[in-house]
Amino acid sequence: MDLEAGVSRNPVKKESWRTVLTLAYQSLGVVYGDLSTSPLYVYKSTFAEDIKHSETNEEIYGVLSFVFWTLTLVPLLKYVFIVLRADDNGEGGTFALYSLLCRHAKVNSLPNCQVADEELSAYKKDGIDPADRSIGSRLKSTLEKHRVLQRVLLVLALIGTCMVIGDGVLTPAISGIRVFSAVSGLELSMSKEHHKYVEVPVACVILVCLFALQHYGTHRVGFLFAPIVITWLLCISTIGVYNIFHWNPHVYQALSPYYMYKFLKKTQREGWMSLGGILLCITGSEAMFADLGHFSQLSIKIAFTSVVYPSLILAYMGQAAYLSKHHIIESEYRIGFYVSVPERVRWPVLAIAILAAVVGSQAVITGTFSIIKQCSALGCFPRVKIVHTSSKMHGQIYIPEINWILMLLCLAVTIGFRDTKRLGNASGLAVITVMLVTTCLMSLVIVLCWHKSIILAICFILFFGSIEALYFSASLIKFLEGAWVPIILSFIFMIIMYVWHYGTLKKYEFDVQNKVSINWLLSLGPSLGIVRVRGIGLVHTELVSGIPAIFSHFVTNLPAFHQVLVFICIKSVPVPHVQPEERFLVGRIGPKEYRIYRCIVRYGYHDIHKDDLEFEKDLVCSIAEFIRSEKVDPNGGKEELEKDSLEKMTVVGTSSSQIEGVRMCDNVGNPGEMAGTSELMEIRSPAGPRKRVRFVVPDSPQIDVGVREELQELMEAREAGMAFILGHLYVRAKRGSSFMKKLVIDVGYDFLRRNCRGPTYGLNIPHASTLEVGMIYHV
């Protein structure tokens, strides 16, 4: 199965309604688990201590009005109808917005960018006319001129990302507490003291089981969890309708915004502080955008508008209708969800609620995996192992290290807090911060990417920003009551991400400043001044031009080198996917007789990196196709070759995308099986169990003798084997650096580099014969 061919074209987004509805069904179990379980604790958190439920019902009606308009304006209007449209070729999340901005303005933090990357079909850059004097054009120029603004934009994206990761710690923990909220139905018949000793062990067991399920992938988890969420939504909406008609059919009047004004007028400061509890009704909304790559825009919209939104509104109205007729509160639990459930169905609903509460954290765990992969690909997070769990949906991934780190942090937070209220304060602050960051980045996307009026962008940020700022202030005021947790977690992740990004950037700058000139290479002659042995030598470098310092360090210490030399750069570009036919950029370094090539392999931040054998095959085929299709310079001038000009590099696809290109066959018994070819070159190996390699060349005019010889030599080298030369770099702050720089480089970056995945693993490149060249970089 060719994963890359299917993934890059992303056929799911273009398939039938059956596929869309299937994805909508799965999204209910993955995306909306968190949002759908909020009725368990919103009223309980809101009325915890700041306000009291009085007989006038002004408080309960005001809270219902706030809940209704918050759900309508933020998840429905902002996310479903606006933010989801700002997808980056089907991908969502904070870094997807940042990626869009990087393509439309030169604010990219990736150091090795090329003009050729802008020609990718997935780049979708609708640039602003340089002659345009509009505000959008001036904003773009301002961002490109000031490095400080670019850093602020990067830091803003990192803050949003870190808060998503922090929420990935808090949401599973609060989901465990939600089970307590569910089990708090038992509190109606169980003493509080007894319940306190049961809750923490139960939550820890549930959390361990939840994280243990993650390696099965979003596809299987979605099908497993979706029936639970659907059943839960059906239960709460049915109970809501029953409570409305049985207790207070006129509760719909509370949907008027006038009740919000009455609520704030009566409760004043206490009512403002209680907004932190009302905020919990939209926890999980950001998952609709963060998990976009796992599903599709249309499927998420269908699931929310047709199932989730009406069910939640009915559930909250039903609870308000019940509470409006029950004003005597015997304990703090009597304001919760279960008191409004009819006694005859309380136990079945309790069982469903426990399952739904467990599912609640799935959305943010999935979103955390997606956003960490984006950060890692764009150089803002240490390399981690990425496991693609589906061959059909490119965004469905699993990251083992992050999964278990999240689990340990969740267990620590759960054991440390044991309290719905404080965890709710923490989760609320994390959620609203991510929403504020999304609003800020979206306002820039509206101007720079959608080319809309600046007035529209200002209206967007003022309208939604003011709503979110109100909730943010109410959450921040409870800093000492749990809201400090996401700030501390985000600060830790922020330091990790910024230190890694800074160290990576400094290392690349050192590479650029110390690269070897082409003239030095040409002065060595065709043999490079040493013996050329059989085989292909792959020299890994971050440079897209020039010769890396590790190569000169290598040839001055070893007496031999391979007959075919390839300088390979595996780079990420700020797009989700690179089409297979645009994967490779291949060029030549020096004259033909040197047999030295440069190959730039481009991946998007959600692309699947093939395994070693497939990668090796694609790499050799791309070089062979470049040799076959290369245009001969009529002047034969060496001067042109010395320039190593990037314009002379050729875009070559993978072997699977080459319909008419060179194809390679290993150990094929019958060459005639390859249909549609007219010319076959075969190299017979000497006696012995050696790998036989053939290039199958498409129907074409007679191949030039020089091209035939070069292809034959490439085949011989491929048969002899491949060696990967990798720089084992020790980065140190140069003498005279400030104390802070030494701390960041010598301690922080060095620690992360030693404890993250190595480039041979993270990039999935051939490592059977890896040679490491040790060097110290003083940056």
Side-chain angles (χ1 to χ4, degrees):
M1 179 183 296
D2 186 5
L3 293 178
E4 185 176 25
V7 164
S8 296
R9 291 175 178 83
N10 199 10
V12 176
K13 306 287 178 74
K14 299 179 180 178
E15 286 187 1
S16 64
W17 276 100
R18 180 180 179 181
T19 303
V20 172
L21 293 176
T22 301
L23 288 174
Y25 169 79
Q26 292 180 30
S27 71
L28 288 169
V30 175
V31 177
Y32 298 111
D34 188 11
L35 190 61
S36 64
T37 53
S38 56
L40 282 173
Y41 52 89
V42 167
Y43 283 116
K44 179 181 175 181
S45 299
T46 305
F47 288 94
E49 62 181 33
D50 298 316
I51 56 175
K52 302 299 180 183
H53 176 37
S54 67
E55 294 187 7
T56 62
N57 287 327
E58 287 183 354
E59 293 86 359
I60 196 67
Y61 284 175
V63 171
L64 175 60
S65 186
F66 265 105
V67 167
F68 172 76
W69 287 106
T70 304
L71 277 171
T72 302
L73 294 177
V74 179
L76 185 64
L77 180 59
K78 177 187 170 183
Y79 280 97
V80 170
F81 290 109
I82 301 176
V83 175
L84 285 181
R85 294 179 57 236
D87 65 301
D88 184 13
N89 291 297
E91 299 300 325
T94 305
F95 252 81
L97 294 176
Y98 181 70
S99 176
L100 278 175
L101 293 172
C102 287
R103 295 209 300 271
H104 288 81
K106 296 178 181 178
V107 295
N108 199 350
S109 61
L110 292 176
N112 54 356
C113 297
Q114 297 173 270
V115 177
D117 297 338
E118 298 183 12
E119 299 172 0
L120 292 169
S121 58
Y123 210 82
K124 289 186 181 178
K125 179 183 177 183
D126 301 321
I128 298 176
D129 187 356
D132 188 3
R133 299 298 179 186
S134 65
I135 297 178
S137 178
R138 291 199 294 270
L139 177 62
K140 177 176 178 289
S141 300
T142 303
L143 283 173
E144 292 176 347
K145 288 178 183 177
H146 296 85
R147 292 289 298 173
V148 175
L149 293 178
Q150 295 175 21
R151 290 194 184 98
V152 169
L153 196 62
L154 174 63
V155 169
L156 189 64
L158 291 181
I159 290 173
T161 302
C162 291
M163 281 294 182
V164 170
I165 299 172
D167 197 29
V169 173
L170 293 167
T171 299
I174 201 174
S175 291
I177 305 297
R178 279 177 204 158
V179 175
F180 310 156
S181 296
V183 178
S184 66
L186 296 176
E187 292 169 356
L188 299 175
S189 58
M190 181 189 295
S191 67
K192 184 177 179 181
E193 290 73 18
H194 184 235
H195 185 266
K196 180 176 65 175
Y197 293 108
V198 173
E199 59 186 25
V200 174
V202 171
C204 292
V205 171
I206 289 171
L207 287 173
V208 171
C209 293
L210 176 66
F211 282 100
L213 284 174
Q214 297 305 314
H215 74 280
Y216 288 107
T218 310
H219 176 76
R220 294 181 179 88
V221 171
F223 269 108
L224 175 66
F225 286 172
I228 298 172
V229 176
I230 291 173
T231 306
W232 167 248
L233 290 172
L234 182 63
C235 281
I236 62 175
S237 57
T238 304
I239 293 170
V241 171
Y242 169 80
N243 284 331
I244 291 170
F245 285 100
H246 187 265
W247 295 110
N248 189 355
H250 300 290
V251 73
Y252 68 89
Q253 295 175 355
L255 302 183
S256 169
Y258 175 67
Y259 283 91
M260 291 192 290
Y261 167 74
K262 290 182 67 176
F263 172 80
L264 291 176
K265 183 179 179 181
K266 180 178 180 179
T267 57
Q268 296 183 0
R269 185 178 185 274
E270 289 74 17
W272 168 63
M273 293 182 66
S274 70
L275 293 179
I278 298 173
L279 169 64
L280 298 178
C281 74
I282 55 172
T283 55
S285 300
E286 185 69 22
M288 287 192 286
F289 189 46
D291 291 341
L292 189 57
H294 292 250
F295 302 99
S296 69
Q297 188 181 130
L298 184 58
S299 63
I300 289 177
K301 287 181 176 181
I302 289 173
F304 183 78
T305 55
S306 62
V307 181
V308 179
Y309 178 75
S311 298
L312 290 176
I313 297 300
L314 289 173
Y316 285 116
M317 288 178 66
Q319 286 188 60
Y322 177 88
L323 294 172
S324 67
K325 299 298 181 182
H326 297 78
H327 304 102
I328 300 175
I329 304 175
E330 298 175 4
S331 70
E332 61 176 301
Y333 301 109
R334 292 289 180 179
I335 200 75
F337 172 77
Y338 277 93
V339 70
S340 66
V341 179
E343 289 188 13
R344 287 175 294 181
V345 295
R346 186 168 291 167
W347 285 100
V349 172
L350 173 63
I352 298 169
I354 293 174
L355 293 174
V358 174
V359 174
S361 57
Q362 183 59 44
V364 74
I365 294 174
T366 305
T368 302
F369 290 158
S370 294
I371 206 162
I372 283 180
K373 186 180 190 302
Q374 293 178 26
C375 295
S376 181
L378 296 178
C380 292
F381 199 87
R383 289 180 293 266
V384 289
K385 180 181 180 181
I386 308 292
V387 179
H388 289 264
T389 58
S390 172
S391 60
K392 296 180 180 179
M393 285 303 296
H394 51 259
Q396 297 188 359
I397 59 172
Y398 166 69
I399 306 178
E401 296 98 326
I402 301 301
N403 185 64
W404 302 122
I405 289 173
L406 286 179
M407 186 191 76
L408 293 176
L409 291 174
C410 283
L411 292 174
V413 170
T414 304
I415 295 170
F417 276 110
R418 309 185 185 187
D419 184 8
T420 312
K421 179 190 167 187
R422 287 188 293 170
L423 272 175
N425 293 337
S427 179
L429 182 62
V431 167
I432 201 64
T433 305
V434 176
M435 290 181 176
L436 273 171
V437 169
T438 300
T439 300
C440 294
L441 294 179
M442 268 300 303
S443 62
L444 292 175
V445 168
I446 289 172
V447 177
L448 298 178
C449 306
W450 292 355
H451 310 306
K452 301 296 182 182
S453 167
I454 190 73
I455 303 298
L456 187 64
I458 292 174
C459 291
F460 178 86
I461 196 170
L462 286 179
F463 182 72
F464 291 107
S466 59
I467 295 171
E468 291 159 359
L470 180 65
Y471 283 115
F472 179 79
S473 63
S475 298
L476 197 60
I477 200 68
K478 298 185 178 180
F479 179 83
L480 297 177
E481 299 175 33
W484 58 270
V485 175
I487 294 177
I488 298 299
L489 287 174
S490 299
F491 183 71
I492 293 171
F493 283 111
M494 182 81 173
I495 290 176
I496 292 172
M497 294 171 75
Y498 200 83
V499 165
W500 182 261
H501 175 73
Y502 180 79
T504 303
L505 200 60
K506 288 298 179 184
K507 187 178 72 171
Y508 180 79
E509 289 174 356
F510 182 91
D511 269 331
V512 172
Q513 294 167 3
N514 293 273
K515 65 183 179 182
V516 180
S517 68
I518 302 295
N519 291 330
W520 173 83
L521 182 68
L522 297 175
S523 67
L524 296 177
S527 66
L528 301 183
I530 53 179
V531 178
R532 301 290 291 270
V533 298
R534 294 188 69 200
I536 298 178
L538 300 175
V539 182
H540 177 260
T541 174
E542 300 292 334
L543 299 174
V544 293
S545 63
I547 308 299
I550 62 166
F551 177 72
S552 62
H553 188 68
F554 183 85
V555 297
T556 53
N557 286 278
L558 289 178
F561 212 83
H562 300 83
Q563 67 186 107
V564 175
L565 188 62
V566 182
F567 290 96
I568 181 170
C569 173
I570 299 178
K571 61 178 288 189
S572 293
V573 290
V575 297
H577 304 282
V578 175
Q579 298 287 345
E581 55 269 18
E582 300 172 326
R583 176 75 65 215
F584 294 94
L585 270 174
V586 184
R588 189 187 297 278
I589 299 178
K592 284 189 175 182
E593 60 268 21
Y594 280 48
R595 302 294 191 255
I596 303 177
Y597 310 94
R598 180 183 308 284
C599 186
I600 300 173
V601 191
R602 300 179 292 183
Y603 286 101
Y605 55 74
H606 266 319
D607 271 327
I608 297 176
H609 292 209
K610 287 191 173 183
D611 59 31
D612 296 349
L613 295 177
E614 284 294 316
F615 180 86
E616 185 179 317
K617 180 180 177 181
D618 285 343
L619 180 65
V620 175
C621 281
S622 68
I623 297 172
E625 177 61 22
F626 166 76
I627 295 170
R628 184 188 72 86
S629 59
E630 184 183 24
K631 293 182 180 179
V632 180
D633 184 4
N635 301 324
K638 188 176 181 181
E639 208 174 296
E640 288 293 321
L641 292 169
E642 289 179 4
K643 292 180 181 178
D644 191 33
S645 135
L646 288 177
E647 286 76 21
K648 285 190 170 293
M649 299 195 75
T650 304
V651 177
V652 183
T654 61
S655 58
S656 60
S657 67
Q658 293 289 339
I659 301 176
E660 298 181 352
V662 174
R663 301 173 70 182
M664 186 173 70
C665 306
D666 289 349
N667 299 320
V668 179
N670 183 14
E673 292 176 1
M674 301 299 296
T677 59
S678 61
E679 186 170 352
L680 178 70
M681 295 183 294
E682 179 179 342
I683 300 295
R684 294 184 178 275
S685 302
R690 297 182 62 86
K691 180 184 291 186
R692 299 174 60 198
V693 179
R694 300 182 183 88
F695 283 143
V696 180
V697 182
D699 191 3
S700 61
Q702 183 65 31
I703 294 181
D704 181 78
V705 176
V707 173
R708 181 184 292 273
E709 290 178 356
E710 194 169 358
L711 284 173
Q712 185 172 350
E713 187 170 351
L714 181 62
M715 282 190 289
E716 290 176 351
R718 172 68 179 83
E719 278 193 328
M722 302 179 76
F724 194 86
I725 292 87
L726 178 70
H728 191 80
L729 307 177
Y730 298 89
V731 183
R732 295 288 182 269
K734 60 186 177 183
R735 187 174 299 175
S737 299
S738 64
F739 171 77
M740 183 58 67
K741 184 176 180 179
K742 289 180 179 178
L743 181 66
V744 170
I745 297 296
D746 295 349
V747 179
Y749 182 76
D750 185 64
F751 174 80
L752 293 175
R753 182 193 59 79
R754 285 187 284 107
N755 289 278
C756 74
R757 300 276 181 175
T760 54
Y761 193 98
L763 297 174
N764 225 359
I765 49 183
H767 55 272
S769 303
T770 302
L771 301 175
E772 291 192 350
V773 182
M775 283 193 70
I776 298 178
Y777 279 18
H778 292 280
V779 300

